[in-house]
Amino acid sequence: ETGVTQTPRHLVMGMTNKKSLKCEQHLGHNAMYWYKQSAKKPLELMFVYNFKEQTENNSVPSRFSPECPNSSHLFLHLHTLQPEDSALYLCASSQAGEHNEQFFGPGTRLTVL
Amino acid sequence: GQNIDQPTEMTATEGAIVQINCTYQTSGFNGLFWYQQHAGEAPTFLSYNVLDGLEEKGRFSSFLSRSKGYSYLLLKELQMKDSASYLCAVMDSNYQLIWGAGTKLIIKP
């Protein structure tokens, strides 16, 4: 049990669909992250929230829209995605600070048809 | 640019020792992390090094040389359950993690 949960675990969607990924952390952390993991590529940081405020947006296309209603929940809203967006989307949390390890959820395996 | 290099895949025998290397070039350095990721699962934290030298934690040890931009993860007394990908990540001057692509470790009986 990692303390970070993600739903759904698997998602197949068409390019015109709208869907949302959900992440919840039960660790009392104040920083949350969205990553994209593609096969044989490094983890790509997408968004960072510290104390519910977005502090990083690494040139992510606008078809990905994050939402952080409170320090325990993080959403990634998806709209008009492309097949190349198919990947594993990982959520992580940590205590905001320099050297604090990140705890990861199990990820959502997304396939865009 | 920022870059983390580690071998794509390694194979080792059960009971043996394996060393997974990681070299990095980043804008600033605020520590290096190693994570383990089993197929289909979340990455889990293994170790953190910010000073030069060796950190030992049971069967796993991690070494850092900041002057060489180099780290390794040493796994002893390999077990079949150690088959996984091992991710190296460096925290840069903005306290963001820069990740390597991971090393897939295959353990053979």
Side-chain angles (χ1 to χ4, degrees), chain A residues 2 9 33 35 37 40-45 48 55-56 88 90 97-106, chain B residues 4 8 30-31 33 35 37 40-45 48 50 87 91 94-102:
Chain A
T2 65
R9 293 294 308 275
Y33 312 79
Y35 284 94
Q37 188 175 35
K40 300 185 179 180
K41 290 186 178 179
L43 281 170
E44 299 173 46
L45 179 65
V48 180
T55 57
E56 287 290 332
L88 181 69
L90 289 163
E98 301 111 39
H99 307 142
N100 290 304
E101 69 194 77
Q102 294 179 13
F103 291 79
F104 285 83
Chain B
I4 309 286
T8 303
N30 281 299
F33 294 78
Y35 279 78
Q37 186 177 23
E41 297 183 13
T44 54
F45 170 78
Y48 170 73
V50 67
L87 311 179
M91 187 165 278
N94 294 320
Y95 298 102
Q96 297 297 342
L97 282 177
I98 310 300
W99 295 83

Side-chain angles (χ1 to χ4, degrees), chain B residues 21-42:
Chain B
N21 296 324
C22 171
T23 58
Y24 63 89
Q25 292 177 305
T26 57
S27 55
F29 179 84
N30 281 299
L32 185 145
F33 294 78
W34 283 97
Y35 279 78
Q36 179 190 60
Q37 186 177 23
H38 286 99
E41 297 183 13

Side-chain angles (χ1 to χ4, degrees), chain A residues 71-109:
Chain A
S71 58
S72 298
H73 293 85
L74 187 64
F75 295 89
L76 188 63
H77 303 300
L78 315 173
H79 178 48
T80 59
L81 294 191
Q82 304 299 311
E84 60 264 30
D85 297 323
S86 298
L88 181 69
Y89 288 84
L90 289 163
C91 173
S93 71
S94 73
Q95 280 300 113
E98 301 111 39
H99 307 142
N100 290 304
E101 69 194 77
Q102 294 179 13
F103 291 79
F104 285 83
T108 295
R109 173 67 63 186

Side-chain angles (χ1 to χ4, degrees), chain B residues 39-106:
Chain B
E41 297 183 13
T44 54
F45 170 78
L46 286 178
S47 67
Y48 170 73
N49 294 68
V50 67
L51 299 176
D52 289 352
L54 187 68
E55 295 278 345
E56 298 187 72
K57 194 184 290 186
R59 294 189 298 114
F60 293 7
S61 303
S62 56
F63 172 84
L64 175 67
S65 169
R66 288 172 297 172
S67 63
K68 295 181 179 179
Y70 167 70
S71 172
Y72 66 72
L73 181 69
L74 190 72
L75 292 73
K76 303 177 184 177
E77 301 170 16
L78 285 171
Q79 301 175 10
M80 297 303 293
K81 67 178 183 180
D82 297 329
S83 293
S85 287
Y86 292 85
L87 311 179
C88 174
V90 172
M91 187 165 278
D92 69 7
S93 56
N94 294 320
Y95 298 102
Q96 297 297 342
L97 282 177
I98 310 300
W99 295 83
T103 299
K104 182 178 180 181
L105 178 63
I106 300 168

Side-chain angles (χ1 to χ4, degrees), chain A:
Chain A
E1 182 59 54
T2 65
V4 181
T5 58
Q6 290 186 242
T7 54
R9 293 294 308 275
H10 300 272
L11 178 62
V12 179
M13 59 187 290
M15 289 191 285
T16 58
N17 292 158
K18 288 185 181 180
K19 296 287 184 182
S20 296
L21 309 185
K22 179 183 176 182
C23 175
E24 184 174 359
Q25 59 97 0
H26 312 274
L27 301 169
H29 291 162
N30 48 32
M32 297 188 77
Y33 312 79
W34 278 118
Y35 284 94
K36 176 183 179 182
Q37 188 175 35
S38 302
K40 300 185 179 180
K41 290 186 178 179
L43 281 170
E44 299 173 46
L45 179 65
M46 300 175 71
F47 301 104
V48 180
Y49 279 82
N50 283 310
F51 298 97
K52 301 186 297 176
E53 297 298 320
Q54 184 177 315
T55 57
E56 287 290 332
N57 175 344
N58 285 353
S59 303
V60 180
S62 59
R63 58 186 183 267
F64 295 91
S65 174
E67 178 189 0
C68 188
N70 55 61
S71 58
S72 298
H73 293 85
L74 187 64
F75 295 89
L76 188 63
H77 303 300
L78 315 173
H79 178 48
T80 59
L81 294 191
Q82 304 299 311
E84 60 264 30
D85 297 323
S86 298
L88 181 69
Y89 288 84
L90 289 163
C91 173
S93 71
S94 73
Q95 280 300 113
E98 301 111 39
H99 307 142
N100 290 304
E101 69 194 77
Q102 294 179 13
F103 291 79
F104 285 83
T108 295
R109 173 67 63 186
L110 174 66
T111 303
V112 181
L113 302 177

